[in-house]
Amino acid sequence: MAIAESRAASLSAPTGANRPEPEKKLRLLKIIGPGVVTGASDDDPSGIGTYSQAGAQLGFAISWTMLLTFPLMVAIQEISARVGRTTGTGLAGNIRKHYPAWLLQVLVAMLFGANVINIGADLAAMADALKFLVGGPALLYVILFGFGCVLAQIVLDYDRYVRFLKWSCLSLFAYVAALATIKVPWAEALRGLLVPTISWSADYFTTLVAIAGTTISPYLFFWQAAQEAEEVRIKPERQPLLRVRWQAPSALARIRADTAIGMGFSNLIAVAIIMTTAATLHANGVTNIQSSGQAAEALRPIAGSFASFIFTAGIVGTGLLAVPVLAGSAAYAVSETAGWPVGLTREPRDAVDFYFILAIAAVVGIGINFTPINPISALYWSAVVNGVAAVPIMILLMLMTARRKVMGEFKIGYGLKVLGWVATIAMLSSVVGMVVTAAV
């Protein structure tokens, strides 16, 4: 009741003493929010596996993709965040209002399928990593990790849970530490980072799409938009910018800084992983890496036990961050598509369907590990599916955020529009290149 009265007062008195305080404190801990958590969750165990495979297979020559994707990631994620902050509704909810239901249903079905495979693969990688470190039954660890992540989302208070996610981001520094323990030919490494190298082969473009699908992934769009909408829902001083336009300058500045830090952090870690595996595995002829766990095992005789231990421990830490984000983004997307109440800020009894979908995503991910399907083998192709699904979602995102009917006066500006379309075209080109080279 108090929150409702505060909101009503802010709408009836948009000027003067009763105006809600703008988001003006941009201290680091205030800035760190959905963007940083989203960026960190992008480097999940499956992403680590994709980057490890790319570094082992193609060496330093593929690391330039991280430099290219950074501004594109920032643009797309900032646009996604603006949708949630401006409208107070997540991405799927906005698509549902303005576009055909069948289109959204197809896209969300692809998202859910890719997320479930990712969850299964992440849990398998975490279990294998823990088994590698301490021994024991991997399948038991799959169950414990899977249910532990879900129960944390259901049981923990939202603010406490978000703090846990933020602190979990620190686990990614394990890969910077791993890079620091090995000998890197920096001249070659920097050339690979700064000078684009393209090989016209099906394997190269499939790897390129897998990297793009891992780096610019649909679940990140849905998660960040949904988390911005959650912040609007639970904080009395925040309301959709469509209703409180005076909050826009500071709110958008916070989103821009949060997203830039988060995506920069994500790409830094990806570069560290690629360079680590390129300098060790690729340099020693070990090019057939299928997972992050295999990368960690292969590192031991080449880079030493310490580098292998750090690499392995990082898999568990990143998984504890990524699995909840994958399950949560699936729950947000499906629930908003169906028009159900959504939100980790809601009590389970007030959003039964939302929490049911969240649990189902995790349970199916766990179940994949008990079937003949190898989640690690399916993982690479789930990244490809993500890359393919990202194209229509990104097109819708760009069209939607250019409409006054959706965004009001907060339609995205020229700079974001250019970067967003460049990101969309780059993703489309990668998919087309993969299809063409595969057909030749």
Side-chain angles (χ1 to χ4, degrees):
M1 179 65 73
I3 292 176
E5 290 172 355
S6 173
R7 290 181 181 274
S10 67
L11 290 176
S12 61
T15 60
N18 291 328
R19 175 185 293 186
E21 196 66 26
E23 300 170 38
K24 60 186 179 182
K25 296 180 180 179
L26 292 183
R27 292 191 295 267
L28 182 60
L29 290 179
K30 295 290 185 181
I31 293 173
I32 292 176
V36 171
V37 173
T38 302
S41 69
D42 191 26
D43 294 320
D44 63 330
S46 60
I48 294 167
T50 300
Y51 298 136
S52 298
Q53 184 177 26
Q57 183 179 5
L58 301 171
F60 298 115
I62 197 67
S63 59
W64 66 270
T65 55
M66 294 297 101
L67 204 61
L68 174 67
T69 56
F70 171 63
L72 308 184
M73 284 178 70
V74 171
I76 287 296
Q77 291 303 137
E78 182 178 337
I79 292 168
S80 301
R82 283 178 176 233
V83 171
R85 184 66 181 87
T86 301
T87 66
T89 305
L91 190 54
N94 276 286
I95 296 175
R96 179 172 174 265
K97 292 177 183 177
H98 302 287
Y99 294 94
W102 66 265
L103 178 59
L104 177 60
Q105 289 164 3
V106 169
L107 295 177
V108 169
M110 293 177 70
L111 172 79
F112 186 87
N115 278 19
V116 164
I117 293 173
N118 265 349
I119 290 170
D122 283 353
L123 292 173
M126 294 164 69
D128 287 342
L130 189 58
K131 180 180 179 180
F132 183 73
L133 292 174
V134 302
L139 287 178
L140 175 61
Y141 296 151
V142 165
I143 296 172
L144 293 177
F145 280 134
F147 282 108
C149 289
V150 171
L151 287 175
Q153 288 180 293
I154 295 174
V155 173
L156 290 181
D157 172 76
Y158 178 76
D159 287 336
R160 184 178 301 173
Y161 183 68
V162 168
R163 284 197 297 273
F164 164 75
L165 292 180
K166 290 179 181 179
W167 282 109
S168 296
C169 297
L170 296 176
S171 62
L172 289 169
F173 281 110
Y175 297 102
V176 177
L179 181 62
T181 64
I182 64 173
K183 185 177 181 180
V184 179
W186 285 109
E188 183 183 354
L190 290 175
R191 185 166 57 250
L193 181 64
L194 300 175
V195 180
T197 302
I198 298 176
S199 173
W200 297 96
S201 67
D203 287 344
Y204 182 88
F205 277 99
T206 301
T207 300
L208 202 60
V209 173
I211 288 176
T214 297
T215 306
I216 304 177
S217 186
Y219 80 87
L220 303 177
F221 313 158
F222 285 89
W223 174 262
Q224 191 163 355
Q227 289 306 290
E228 287 291 341
E230 286 274 33
E231 296 286 307
V232 169
R233 186 180 302 120
I234 66 170
K235 295 185 177 180
E237 70 275 12
R238 292 187 187 180
Q239 294 180 45
L241 296 182
L242 290 174
R243 299 166 63 185
V244 288
R245 63 181 182 275
W246 59 85
Q247 291 186 358
S250 54
L252 297 181
R254 174 190 56 79
I255 287 172
R256 188 175 302 113
D258 178 32
T259 304
I261 292 171
M263 299 310 117
F265 181 47
S266 173
N267 278 31
L268 172 66
I269 301 306
V271 168
I273 294 167
I274 290 174
M275 287 189 172
T276 298
T277 53
T280 53
L281 306 185
H282 181 80
N284 286 274
V286 181
T287 59
N288 187 23
I289 293 296
Q290 299 297 322
S291 70
S292 53
Q294 285 185 18
E297 289 184 25
L299 276 172
R300 174 176 283 179
I302 297 172
S305 297
F306 184 66
S308 177
F309 173 82
I310 293 174
F311 202 94
T312 307
I315 294 170
V316 176
T318 59
L320 292 174
L321 171 65
V323 169
V325 172
L326 284 160
S329 64
Y332 278 111
V334 172
S335 299
E336 288 182 354
T337 299
W340 298 331
V342 302
L344 294 170
T345 56
R346 299 182 189 273
E347 292 293 330
R349 63 177 178 273
D350 298 324
V352 174
D353 297 312
F354 170 81
Y355 283 102
F356 177 75
I357 296 298
L358 189 152
I360 285 295
V363 168
V364 174
I366 292 170
I368 289 175
N369 288 276
F370 291 84
T371 70
I373 300 171
N374 184 334
I376 300 298
S377 299
L379 173 64
Y380 190 79
W381 291 105
S382 78
V384 174
V385 170
N386 267 329
V388 174
V391 175
I393 294 174
M394 290 166 75
I395 291 172
L396 280 180
L397 184 60
M398 295 307 300
L399 294 175
M400 187 166 59
T401 51
R403 295 178 62 184
R404 182 172 290 274
K405 184 177 180 181
V406 180
M407 301 291 285
E409 64 186 277
F410 302 108
K411 296 188 300 180
I412 59 172
Y414 180 76
L416 271 182
K417 189 178 296 185
V418 169
L419 283 174
W421 279 114
V422 168
T424 304
I425 293 169
M427 184 70 77
L428 176 61
S429 299
S430 298
V431 173
V432 171
M434 177 190 68
V435 173
V436 170
T437 53
V440 173

